[in-house]
Amino acid sequence: MKRVVLIVTGKTEVALDQSLAQLFPKEKVTFVVRPPKDSFTSNALLETPLRGTEEKPTAAEKLAQALVSEVDPGRRDEPPPDYVVLVDDLELDNLPWPERAIHYVRTALETHVERHYPGQSARERALGRVRDRCSFHLLSPMVEAYFLAEPAALTRAGATRASTFDATTNNTESSFQVSDREFLAPPNHKNKHALPPWASADRARHPKRYVQFLCDPTGTKAQAYKETGGGRNALSKLDWPAVLATSTHAQFVRSLIHDLADALEEPAVAQRFAGATHPLTWPPRKGHLLRNV
């Protein structure tokens, strides 16, 4: 039995283990998800990553530490994972430059190993284990984008009305844009605590805001859509064939699935979801520090 550990940064993504387990033989693979950690993509990423200190590491460096520690030295209370996957949302602010997210993780990984592995042999051992057994993947621009490709997922999320977004002709990862008049009509709220909760200035391009709207079109409830409730329900049973039905769409998440299929030696899974992967995250390029980047 192979074990895959998932390190996630969102409350909804805690259900990613159940979601991905649908795709692989249960008698061969088990997925384990860690409690969510802070994301490093919440704000626009700079071209050159900022570096923290040993006492105060950046969010990316904390994620790098979590990733490395799973394989070197590993946990004493669990069998060692065969593979570890770090997953974060790209977010709208970083949609124009996803390569920066990759650069941040690679830099954070190098920084962490440099600080905590003073000997050359220890550094080489840690980097070798990370290169062989760890990956980093992006959900673009956020996990809720994939719900819009499956009407039943929106229902599980708590939607009370149908989406007007057509995911068969529009790529939810890169070109999400809604022209729903009822959704766009209210003025932008002045702060994140105001109602409607979905009435942000960027709502037309924001999948999560649209899911919030579909769950409460009246905008009278602060949390009609709950990440720990409807969000997890939607993701845990996500219809991946529907999400990946168009071979040129959802390239980031297809990269994740193809990477796992390769690592777990399950080529039938990759064949089932044949299509374009994102060149940044699969297949690996020359000089990759992790399995895929």
Side-chain angles (χ1 to χ4, degrees):
M1 177 75 76
K2 292 185 177 180
R3 295 179 75 250
V4 179
V5 166
L6 302 172
I7 299 173
V8 300
T9 60
K11 297 176 182 178
T12 296
E13 286 87 336
V14 168
L16 191 59
D17 59 336
Q18 300 174 61
S19 190
L20 291 172
Q22 299 178 103
L23 307 180
F24 294 89
K26 291 180 174 57
E27 68 277 8
K28 294 183 179 180
V29 184
T30 183
F31 289 87
V32 177
V33 66
R34 300 300 187 206
K37 298 187 175 296
D38 290 339
S39 170
F40 74 96
T41 58
S42 300
N43 298 309
L45 299 175
L46 303 174
E47 189 172 357
T48 301
L50 297 174
R51 290 185 58 166
T53 63
E54 188 168 351
E55 296 74 23
K56 193 175 181 180
T58 65
E61 289 165 0
K62 290 179 181 178
L63 289 170
Q65 179 180 6
L67 191 70
V68 175
S69 66
E70 290 286 350
V71 294
D72 195 304
R75 297 190 175 210
R76 294 181 178 180
D77 58 338
E78 293 182 10
D82 294 279
Y83 300 100
V84 186
V85 184
L86 168 62
V87 182
D88 204 349
D89 289 349
L90 182 58
E91 302 293 354
L92 284 183
D93 283 344
N94 298 304
L95 205 55
W97 40 71
E99 66 278 359
R100 293 186 184 180
I102 306 299
H103 187 32
Y104 265 64
V105 168
R106 285 173 55 95
T107 300
L109 174 62
E110 291 175 322
T111 299
H112 173 74
V113 171
E114 178 184 298
R115 284 179 185 154
H116 297 279
Y117 293 81
Q120 182 177 350
S121 61
R123 283 197 300 270
E124 290 178 352
R125 182 193 67 231
L127 289 171
R129 290 179 177 179
V130 168
R131 185 169 52 251
D132 292 341
R133 295 161 56 191
C134 298
S135 295
F136 170 60
H137 285 279
L138 290 161
L139 303 180
S140 179
M142 58 200 63
V143 67
E144 286 83 5
Y146 305 108
F147 303 168
L148 293 158
E150 184 205 346
L154 293 173
T155 300
R156 293 194 300 275
T160 60
R161 59 160 285 182
S163 167
T164 64
F165 180 77
D166 184 0
T168 62
T169 57
N170 299 285
N171 189 350
T172 57
E173 281 193 341
S174 60
S175 55
F176 177 79
Q177 185 85 28
V178 175
S179 56
D180 191 319
R181 291 183 180 181
E182 189 178 348
F183 175 51
L184 301 176
N188 300 335
H189 54 48
K190 296 181 180 180
N191 64 73
K192 63 181 181 179
H193 301 294
L195 297 176
W198 38 262
S200 61
D202 60 357
R203 77 187 94 164
R205 300 175 53 246
H206 201 296
K208 183 177 178 179
R209 297 287 175 262
Y210 193 48
V211 172
Q212 290 175 319
F213 165 76
L214 296 177
C215 292
D216 177 30
T218 65
T220 57
K221 300 176 183 178
Q223 284 191 312
Y225 167 67
K226 295 183 179 179
E227 296 178 9
T228 56
R232 291 182 186 175
N233 289 339
L235 179 59
S236 64
K237 299 177 182 178
L238 192 63
D239 184 353
W240 289 107
V243 173
L244 295 161
T246 303
S247 63
T248 55
H249 289 186
Q251 294 181 12
F252 277 116
V253 83
R254 187 179 278 105
S255 287
L256 166 60
I257 293 172
H258 279 227
D259 181 11
L260 285 171
D262 179 79
L264 299 170
E265 299 179 312
E266 294 291 341
V269 176
Q271 291 166 9
R272 183 184 180 192
F273 298 104
T277 55
H278 199 287
L280 284 175
T281 51
W282 192 260
R285 297 179 174 185
K286 184 178 180 181
H288 56 101
L289 291 180
L290 291 88
R291 262 186 55 84
N292 68 316
V293 297

